[in-house]
C-alpha cells in the first residue's frame, strides 16, 4: 500500500505550524514523517521534536517549488530508505507554489511506487486574506491548487465577515472542500485518505446540470471551467486538445481533471493534470445503465471559456 503524502500550504502566518502540530499529536497511532521547508519560519520547537517519534527533515535554503526541489527528492529517498512511517507531511513556505511539488510526484516513477500525493491543504488567515490576496499572487496559486481549504482565525471575524471571506475563498478555490477553524481546531483525520490526486479515486460532480457543456466564470484572475457532454470523445482529438492548452496557458493552467467516454472504449478514461504534466488511464467498465457522460474541470488564470468550449466540441463525435 502506498504511503499518503499531505502538502500543507498557505501564506505567511496563516497557521500552518498549528495545523501540523495538531496532525502530529492527534490520536490514532499514525506514524508521520515530516519535511519542513524553512524551519525557522515554521517554528517547530524542541518540545514537538523531542516528545514525538516523527522523522523530521529540515530544508531551509529556499522554497521547495524552486531552489530546493532537488533536495526534496533527496529527502524523500532518505525517508523511504529508512522507513518506519505510514504517512508523510510536507510543509511548504508561505511563498511556495504547490504545483511543482505535485509535479515531483508525477514525474518520478520510483517515488510513485511508494508514495502517493493524497491532498493539498491550504490554511488561510481569515483576518488578512481580503487585503492580502490581490497583492500576493502566491495566495491565489495556493488556493486554486488546494483540494482542502481551512478558513482559519474565524474568531477574529463577525458572522457576516466570515461569510464574505468564505465566499471569496470559494471563488478562488471552487473545487475544494472548505472548513472554518479557530487555531486549526478540527478533526485532522479528514485531511488524509482523500485521494484527491489519484486517478483511482477521481470524482467529478455534474451538479445536476442539464446542459451538455457548462462553463462557470468565478472572477477575473482564476477561472473554473466545467465541461460535460453525452457525446463520445475521440481520443486523438482530445489528446491534441490538451496539448494545445498546455502550450497556450503554461503555468496558468493550474489544475485539470476529467472522466471521459472515449469512442470504441467500454471503460472510463480518467485523467488529471498539473500545468504541463498530465496522466491518464482507462479504469473500470461503464456500468450497465450508467450514462456515458464525459465530465471535465479546468482551473486556471484567465482561461478563455468560449474558445476552450469550441475546441473541446471539436473532439466530440
Amino acid at each position: 500500500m502506498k504511503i499518503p503524502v499531505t502538502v500543507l500550504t498557505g501564506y505567511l502566518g496563516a497557521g500552518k505550524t498549528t495545523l501540523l502540530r495538531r496532525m502530529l499529536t492527534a490520536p490514532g497511532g499514525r506514524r508521520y514523517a515530516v519535511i519542513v521547508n524553512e524551519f525557522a519560519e515554521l517554528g517547530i520547537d524542541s518540545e514537538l521534536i523531542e516528545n514525538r517519534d516523527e522523522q523530521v527533515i529540515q530544508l531551509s535554503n529556499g522554497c521547495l517549488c524552486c531552489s530546493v526541489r532537488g533536495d526534496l527528492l533527496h529527502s524523500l529517498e532518505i525517508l523511504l530508505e529508512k522507513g518506519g512511517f505510514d504517512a508523510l507531511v510536507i510543509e511548504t513556505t508561505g511563498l511556495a507554489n504547490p504545483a511543482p511539488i505535485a509535479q515531483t510526484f508525477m514525474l518520478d516513477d520510483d517515488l510513485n511506487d511508494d508514495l502517493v500525493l493524497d491532498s493539498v491543504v491550504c490554511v488561510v488567515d481569515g483576518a488578512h486574506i481580503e487585503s492580502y490576496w490581490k497583492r500576493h499572487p502566491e495566495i491565489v496559486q495556493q488556493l486554486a491548487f488546494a483540494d482542502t481549504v481551512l478558513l482559519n482565525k474565524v474568531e477574529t471575524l463577525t458572522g457576516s465577515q466570515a461569510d464574505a471571506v468564505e465566499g471569496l475563498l470559494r471563488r478562488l478555490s471552487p473545487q475544494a472542500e472548505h472548513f472554518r477553524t479557530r487555531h486549526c481546531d478540527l478533526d485532522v483525520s479528514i485531511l488524509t485518505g482523500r485521494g484527491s490526486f489519484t486517478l483511482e479515486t477521481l470524482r467529478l460532480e455534474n451538479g445536476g446540470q442539464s446542459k451538455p457543456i457548462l462553463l462557470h466564470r468565478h472572477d477575473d484572475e482564476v477561472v473554473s471551467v466545467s465541461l460535460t457532454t453525452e457525446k463520445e470523445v475521440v481520443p486523438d482529438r482530445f489528446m491534441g486538445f490538451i496539448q494545445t492548452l498546455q502550450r497556450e496557458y503554461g503555468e496558468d493552467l493550474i489544475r485539470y481533471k476529467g472522466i471521459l467516454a472515449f469512442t470504441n472504449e467500454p471503460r472510463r478514461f480518467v485523467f488529471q493534470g498539473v500545468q504541463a504534466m498530465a496522466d491518464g488511464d482507462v479504469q473500470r467498465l461503464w456500468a450497465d445503465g450508467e450514462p456515458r457522460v464525459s465530465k471535465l474541470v479546468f482551473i486556471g488564470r484567465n482561461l478563455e471559456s468560449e474558445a476552450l468550449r469550441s475546441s473541446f466540441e471539436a473532439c466530440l463525435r
Side-chain angles (χ1 to χ4, degrees), residues 111-126:
L111 288 180
N112 290 334
D113 290 338
D114 300 295
L115 301 170
V116 58
L117 181 59
D118 183 54
S119 180
V120 175
V121 181
C122 182
V123 185
V124 174
D125 180 350

Side-chain angles (χ1 to χ4, degrees), residues 18-300:
T18 302
L19 179 59
L20 178 57
R21 287 175 174 168
R22 290 193 183 279
M23 294 179 71
L24 298 185
T25 57
R30 187 178 288 272
R31 298 172 300 168
Y32 283 101
V34 181
I35 294 178
V36 176
N37 196 194
E38 290 197 1
F39 188 80
E41 176 217 341
L42 206 87
I44 295 184
D45 53 50
S46 58
E47 178 183 354
L48 182 144
I49 296 173
E50 291 174 1
N51 290 345
R52 300 291 296 174
D53 296 328
E54 282 77 18
Q55 303 178 56
V56 179
I57 292 181
Q58 171 188 344
L59 301 178
S60 56
N61 59 331
C63 280
L64 288 176
C65 62
C66 47
S67 62
V68 297
R69 190 171 173 188
D71 291 344
L72 171 61
L73 283 170
H74 181 62
S75 299
L76 292 171
E77 292 169 356
I78 291 174
L79 289 173
L80 288 173
E81 185 176 346
K82 289 182 177 179
F85 64 99
D86 50 32
L88 171 65
V89 180
I90 299 177
E91 211 290 341
T92 69
T93 76
L95 303 177
N97 177 359
I101 300 170
Q103 288 176 344
T104 298
F105 292 91
M106 298 178 67
L107 283 168
D108 197 296
D109 292 335
D110 292 334
L111 288 180
N112 290 334
D113 290 338
D114 300 295
L115 301 170
V116 58
L117 181 59
D118 183 54
S119 180
V120 175
V121 181
C122 182
V123 185
V124 174
D125 180 350
H128 299 100
I129 182 65
E130 288 186 298
S131 61
Y132 274 6
W133 75 274
K134 289 186 178 181
R135 294 186 287 119
H136 302 287
E138 300 90 353
I139 297 177
V140 176
Q141 294 171 336
Q142 294 162 359
L143 281 167
F145 201 80
D147 62 272
T148 307
V149 173
L150 270 58
L151 170 53
N152 197 31
K153 304 183 183 181
V154 292
E155 71 277 6
T156 66
L157 306 173
T158 65
S160 59
Q161 288 173 334
D163 291 341
V165 172
E166 184 172 330
L168 169 65
L169 299 182
R170 290 185 181 277
R171 292 195 299 273
L172 294 175
S173 190
Q175 302 302 320
E177 188 170 3
H178 293 253
F179 300 92
R180 296 184 183 186
T181 62
R182 301 177 181 217
H183 308 289
C184 293
D185 187 10
L186 82 165
D187 180 1
V188 296
S189 66
I190 65 177
L191 304 180
T192 57
R194 302 183 67 85
S196 299
F197 291 81
T198 61
L199 296 177
E200 290 78 11
T201 58
L202 180 66
R203 294 178 294 274
L204 293 174
E205 299 298 330
N206 192 17
Q209 299 294 331
S210 59
K211 296 181 180 179
I213 296 183
L214 170 72
L215 299 114
H216 187 63
R217 195 175 189 92
H218 291 277
D219 60 64
D220 292 336
E221 181 131 15
V222 175
V223 179
S224 173
V225 180
S226 300
L227 311 177
T228 68
T229 181
E230 296 179 359
K231 296 181 179 180
E232 291 194 330
V233 181
V234 180
D236 291 345
R237 297 178 190 171
F238 178 75
M239 298 307 175
F241 163 69
I242 293 296
Q243 291 170 0
T244 298
L245 289 181
Q246 291 172 335
R247 289 194 301 268
E248 289 183 355
Y249 289 103
E251 293 185 356
D252 286 340
L253 186 62
I254 298 172
R255 280 193 71 187
Y256 46 103
K257 54 186 177 180
I259 299 172
L260 302 174
F262 277 162
T263 55
N264 303 317
E265 175 54 66
R267 295 165 294 179
R268 307 191 318 166
F269 181 81
V270 182
F271 84 101
Q272 67 170 333
V274 176
Q275 296 178 347
M277 297 297 304
D279 184 24
D281 198 2
V282 288
Q283 301 286 330
R284 66 169 175 82
L285 292 168
W286 290 93
D288 292 340
E290 180 183 10
R292 286 172 58 93
V293 176
S294 296
K295 305 174 184 178
L296 303 91
V297 174
F298 298 87
I299 302 174

